[in-house]
Amino acid sequence: MKILGLTGGLHSAGLAYLENGVPIFAFEEERFNRIKAYKDFYAMKFRMPWECGQHVWYHKNYDWLKLDYITSHYDADVAEKIWRGIGLGPFPSEKYIKINHHLGHCALAYYCSGFEEDTFVVSIDASGEKYSCRMYLGKDGNMDEINNIPLTHKSLGHYYSMLTEFLGFKRLKDEGKIVGLSSHGGYRKEVYDCFNKCITINGLKTDKDKGKKYLGGIYEDFYRLWFEEFGSKFTQFDEDIAYNGQLVFEEKVLELFNNLHEKYPNIKKIALAGGIFANVKLNKRINELDWVDEVFVAPPMGDEGLPLGSALAVHKLKNPDFKPFRLNDIFLGTSYIDVVHDKEKFNCRPYSPTQLAFDLKEGKVVGWFQDRYEHGPRALCNRSIIADPSVPGTYKKVNDRLQRNDNMPFAPVVLDTHASSVFNVKKSKYTAEFMTMLYDTHLEWHNKIPAVVHPVDKTARIQIVTPNSNGKFYDLLRKFHAVTQIPVLLNTSFNVHGEPIVCHPKEAFVHLDNEIVDILVINDKVYTKK
């Protein structure tokens, strides 16, 4: 059975293709057109996945005419608009199946979780059709809805948008900066109260949105509370605002989950998707609940994951016996074999993991470009910049080169055999393969790998790498460990600030030419600038 999922819009456009329940490819438009998706939101541009449609040749057996089903979270008329926006002919409406926005998120989370036990499956974001949250009970491969939060009630996703914008940042772009900034602040009761009073949890719902504008209640209530407390006084404690805003956010979501647990006390697995679960500090708090055995967060947790999630939902609809499975990896993008380089600009040598391990030990910053790119927002060592996290000054050097000013440290990628000895990893190791979980770092490692440990709270957004998830990178990391006695490398996305993660080798060579990276590894070749 061949199913195509598609989406377009103001902040996400892409395609995903499923064959017999197996993800074959999942493309995001920003990777090809080099325009960050959030920019469409501010330009009010409905983006079509046109470039994605031009790259379906990557799968040699793909045929537009042989699709069994086409799906999206949009109504059929919008899906037809997207279809035609790709440059295709008449829309085969008889093959179209609409999947609800949050069901698409939840299908992705549940069916990729591999959970055999009963599972809470939850999607929360700013809004999706008529809801900001839907909750399902996953049991024996089926999902039954058990709760939702309609848009007549306040949205937790809009709460975080409000916090982001209040601190002078942009929604859909800078939420991660708020997460990082929050760990630099501290508790202030008067600030905490403003956030705490602007949204309330009542059982499995938030309080009613009584705003004068659609979805505006949480903004109106917070700003009223803030100005009642502080007036127009100039404040210089952004870190404390971020800290208390994040703290209240975590507490409200945890209250929802604990209330859910009271109603269904025997369920101990959680599968999550939707934009708010890009927040790794929140995910850490959920994972640390004493009644939770394991959490899985969909790797493309935002709307970029909806084409694949919708396709999985349709596959389940047509194949009732379909059950959750585990992903080996999320490398669902394009790859490039025949790489041509400018011989007047760049030297080339064969790849040797041992030699590269010594290069890293000497402080070199390496661009790592391998096989197919990752689906979702995280660079998982196929389109990554890597470095030795123990070398003094590495954090500042890489940050400066990438024109990055985030408060978040870079992410550590760690050998599976050493994850628990470096970080406090007691559960949810599978989701950590996709860098969707935050953990505390053991004390003895704080000063050994400073570039990947938060300077204040000593947490790390880790990626566990296994021989099955990424064999080539695993081998490099083993060699690096043998050379340095450090089973960890710094990993950050292969892009300068404000650009999408690199897709094509030509973009990687620009980074080498501009000295963003010292060494570039593409497939089995190593390039340096002359």
Side-chain angles (χ1 to χ4, degrees):
M1 183 173 289
K2 300 175 180 180
I3 304 170
L4 179 74
L6 52 79
T7 191
L10 298 181
H11 64 91
S12 183
L15 300 176
Y17 178 56
L18 202 68
E19 272 191 12
N20 299 320
V22 178
I24 303 300
F25 64 71
F27 298 155
E28 297 157 60
E29 189 71 4
E30 71 167 30
R31 295 295 186 94
F32 301 118
N33 67 14
R34 314 305 301 154
I35 300 170
K36 290 287 284 183
Y38 79 88
K39 292 184 178 180
D40 291 334
F41 176 80
Y42 291 96
M44 293 302 291
K45 178 180 177 60
F46 192 103
R47 177 76 60 181
M48 304 296 180
W50 188 87
E51 291 275 6
C52 295
Q54 313 316 305
H55 284 79
V56 296
W57 57 264
Y58 175 79
H59 182 57
K60 62 182 180 180
N61 295 323
Y62 181 84
D63 189 334
W64 294 101
L65 300 177
K66 293 182 179 179
L67 295 171
D68 294 300
Y69 298 101
I70 301 160
T71 183
S72 176
H73 59 287
Y74 286 118
D75 290 334
D77 59 333
V78 181
E80 180 175 1
K81 177 183 175 183
I82 296 170
W83 179 269
R84 292 185 180 277
I86 299 171
L88 301 171
F91 181 61
S93 56
E94 72 281 1
K95 296 181 179 180
Y96 185 70
I97 298 176
K98 179 187 183 298
I99 294 297
N100 174 271
H101 178 104
H102 289 285
L103 178 59
H105 278 315
C106 287
L108 181 63
Y110 181 52
Y111 292 113
C112 294
S113 72
F115 292 159
E116 297 178 356
E117 303 86 350
D118 293 357
T119 302
F120 290 135
V121 190
V122 179
S123 166
I124 307 177
D125 56 19
S127 64
E129 298 179 55
K130 298 179 180 179
Y131 305 93
S132 66
C133 168
R134 295 184 86 164
M135 300 178 177
Y136 295 82
L137 173 58
K139 184 180 179 67
D140 297 326
N142 301 309
M143 290 196 302
D144 295 315
E145 187 171 7
I146 54 177
N147 183 63
N148 60 63
I149 300 178
L151 295 182
T152 52
H153 291 243
K154 289 175 181 173
S155 161
L156 285 158
H158 272 289
Y159 170 96
Y160 216 86
S161 294
M162 176 269 295
L163 170 60
T164 301
E165 292 176 339
F166 183 66
L167 284 166
F169 294 92
K170 290 185 175 182
R171 72 168 77 181
L172 298 174
K173 173 180 178 284
D174 294 326
E175 287 84 353
K177 294 179 181 178
I178 308 305
V179 176
L181 182 64
S182 67
S183 293
H184 291 267
Y187 179 78
R188 287 188 182 225
K189 184 179 185 303
E190 65 275 20
V191 176
Y192 176 91
D193 287 346
C194 290
F195 286 111
N196 189 46
K197 292 175 182 177
C198 79
I199 186 168
T200 303
I201 303 299
N202 299 313
L204 296 177
K205 295 278 195 293
T206 55
D207 54 319
K208 286 284 188 75
D209 187 319
K210 299 178 181 178
K212 296 177 182 177
K213 298 291 185 181
Y214 182 60
L215 297 174
I218 199 161
Y219 299 86
E220 294 176 24
D221 289 350
F222 171 75
Y223 277 91
R224 174 181 54 78
L225 289 161
W226 182 268
F227 283 102
E228 285 176 358
E229 177 65 38
F230 293 99
S232 60
K233 182 170 64 176
F234 180 67
T235 57
Q236 291 182 298
F237 44 84
D238 284 1
E239 294 90 348
D240 293 344
I241 294 172
Y243 175 92
N244 289 277
Q246 171 75 23
L247 176 61
V248 168
F249 178 65
E250 293 169 7
E251 290 176 348
K252 301 298 181 182
V253 177
L254 291 179
E255 189 175 352
L256 269 181
F257 277 101
N258 281 325
N259 292 344
L260 194 60
H261 173 61
E262 285 187 12
K263 193 171 182 180
Y264 302 92
N266 295 323
I267 299 177
K268 301 181 183 299
K269 296 288 182 83
I270 301 178
L272 303 170
I276 76 162
F277 298 113
N279 189 314
V280 290
K281 288 195 71 175
L282 169 65
N283 298 346
K284 180 177 186 285
R285 294 288 303 276
I286 296 170
N287 193 46
E288 290 172 345
L289 290 169
D290 58 8
W291 57 266
V292 172
D293 284 347
E294 187 174 3
V295 175
F296 175 73
V297 182
M301 69 291 289
D303 285 0
E304 72 280 357
L306 283 173
L308 184 55
S310 297
L312 286 165
V314 169
H315 183 80
K316 173 63 180 180
L317 185 66
K318 299 299 179 179
N319 297 272
D321 293 334
F322 186 56
K323 298 286 198 299
F325 62 94
R326 284 203 169 196
L327 296 162
N328 285 329
D329 57 64
I330 198 71
F331 303 133
L332 297 174
T334 50
S335 65
Y336 302 88
I337 298 172
D338 299 322
V339 177
V340 178
H341 71 283
D342 186 337
K343 294 180 180 179
E344 293 185 0
K345 279 188 175 182
F346 306 113
N347 299 308
C348 178
R349 72 174 195 242
Y351 169 68
S352 161
T354 301
Q355 185 173 356
L356 194 67
F358 278 101
D359 289 331
L360 288 160
K361 182 184 178 184
E362 291 172 2
K364 300 296 185 185
V365 177
V366 176
W368 181 263
F369 186 111
Q370 300 292 320
D371 200 33
R372 304 176 68 180
Y373 73 71
E374 307 91 334
H375 180 38
R378 311 287 193 231
L380 300 173
C381 300
N382 269 16
R383 300 290 188 277
S384 289
I385 290 175
I386 58 175
D388 183 345
S390 71
V391 174
T394 294
Y395 177 82
K396 185 178 187 308
K397 177 169 68 174
V398 178
N399 227 21
D400 289 348
R401 290 189 186 187
L402 296 178
Q403 304 158 36
R404 182 178 177 268
N405 59 0
D406 292 7
N407 289 282
M408 287 287 278
F410 295 109
V413 54
V414 58
L415 289 169
D416 58 344
T417 51
H418 290 73
S420 297
S421 61
V422 181
F423 306 101
N424 188 29
V425 181
K426 295 180 179 178
K427 53 185 174 179
S428 303
K429 289 184 179 181
Y430 169 52
T431 203
E433 293 181 25
F434 305 101
M435 205 191 291
T436 55
M437 188 58 68
L438 194 70
Y439 294 94
D440 294 319
T441 308
H442 289 310
L443 178 63
E444 61 270 26
W445 284 92
H446 287 183
N447 296 324
K448 291 181 181 179
I449 50 173
V452 294
V453 176
H454 196 286
V456 178
D457 64 20
K458 306 304 180 184
T459 58
R461 186 186 64 189
I462 75 172
Q463 178 196 350
I464 296 175
V465 64
T466 73
N468 291 330
S469 66
N470 195 330
K472 187 172 184 177
F473 194 85
Y474 190 85
D475 186 45
L476 171 63
L477 193 47
R478 285 180 62 248
K479 293 291 194 300
F480 180 76
H481 178 225
V483 168
T484 64
Q485 301 306 302
I486 296 173
V488 175
L489 277 168
L490 177 154
N491 171 25
T492 191
S493 57
F494 200 159
N495 60 288
V496 295
H497 181 70
E499 289 187 359
I501 300 173
V502 299
C503 176
H504 193 278
K506 65 183 180 183
E507 296 141 18
F509 277 111
V510 170
H511 285 68
L512 180 60
D513 193 29
N514 291 340
E515 300 179 355
I516 305 298
V517 297
D518 303 309
I519 296 171
L520 174 61
V521 183
I522 300 182
N523 301 331
D524 290 322
K525 300 291 184 182
V526 177
Y527 303 92
T528 54
K529 190 175 180 180
K530 288 186 175 180

